[in-house]
Amino acid sequence: MAQVKVYGNHTELRKVRDELSRIIHESICEVFAYPKAKKFHRFIGLNEDDFIYNDRSSSYTIIEILLFEGRTVEAKKTLIRLLFRRIHEELQISPHDIEMTLIETPKENWGIRGVPGDELVLPYKVDV
């Protein structure tokens, strides 16, 4: 399971939302062998008064990816590096303006389709 939350300046985020969503999803699918049909993204655009940052531009973006635990350290690092590279190359957003966090929780801490996550039958592997 992967759910994505993206925070940024609402004006800047609106300009790149669709392409950023595509980049994030394609990268997760590639690195984690995640099903292409599973896409859960939330974009939270913030007003300037509600988004405080110091040495970043107006393109400053925070990406949180919530996951079942189980991916290897190397797979997680590969995803992070791929996202930095692709976002910079395809959207011209500097890595200095991107921060991301992979948040892993045990499957039993999720509730999905009426059952605890550890009782869910998944059509893909988590331990990659």
Side-chain angles (χ1 to χ4, degrees), residues 5 9 12 30 32 44 47-48 59 61 63 66 70-71 76-78 82 99-101 105 107-108 111 113 123-124 127:
K5 291 190 276 185
N9 173 295
E12 298 296 322
E30 177 182 328
F32 291 163
I44 299 125
N47 294 321
E48 287 185 33
S59 294
T61 304
I63 301 168
L66 292 81
R71 277 75 180 194
K76 292 181 279 188
K77 287 183 177 185
T78 297
L82 181 61
E99 292 187 13
M100 62 186 83
T101 306
T105 56
K107 291 178 188 177
E108 66 269 14
R113 296 190 296 267
Y124 57 92
D127 42 340

Side-chain angles (χ1 to χ4, degrees), residues 41-105:
H41 294 185
R42 290 168 278 175
F43 284 81
I44 299 125
L46 301 165
N47 294 321
E48 287 185 33
D49 294 353
D50 298 320
F51 198 34
I52 301 168
Y53 46 88
N54 293 324
D55 63 339
R56 306 299 198 275
S57 79
S58 60
S59 294
Y60 177 58
T61 304
I62 299 170
I63 301 168
E64 294 179 354
I65 303 173
L66 292 81
L67 305 161
F68 285 161
E69 63 184 1
R71 277 75 180 194
T72 65
V73 170
E74 193 53 42
K76 292 181 279 188
K77 287 183 177 185
T78 297
L79 177 63
I80 289 169
R81 288 183 183 109
L82 181 61
L83 285 169
F84 276 129
R85 181 179 58 76
R86 290 192 63 197
I87 291 168
H88 184 244
E89 288 175 0
E90 297 179 40
L91 298 177
Q92 291 72 52
I93 298 174
S94 168
H96 186 73
D97 282 332
I98 299 288
E99 292 187 13
M100 62 186 83
T101 306
L102 304 181
I103 304 167
E104 293 184 294
T105 56

Side-chain angles (χ1 to χ4, degrees), residues 14-56:
R14 191 175 313 126
K15 294 177 194 175
V16 299
R17 184 191 67 207
D18 292 342
E19 285 301 300
L20 183 56
S21 178
R22 179 188 58 75
I23 290 166
I24 292 169
H25 189 63
E26 287 176 356
S27 298
I28 290 172
C29 290
E30 177 182 328
V31 175
F32 291 163
Y34 192 70
K36 289 185 178 17
K38 300 277 186 188
K39 185 175 182 181
F40 304 97
H41 294 185
R42 290 168 278 175
F43 284 81
I44 299 125
L46 301 165
N47 294 321
E48 287 185 33
D49 294 353
D50 298 320
F51 198 34
I52 301 168
Y53 46 88
N54 293 324
D55 63 339
R56 306 299 198 275

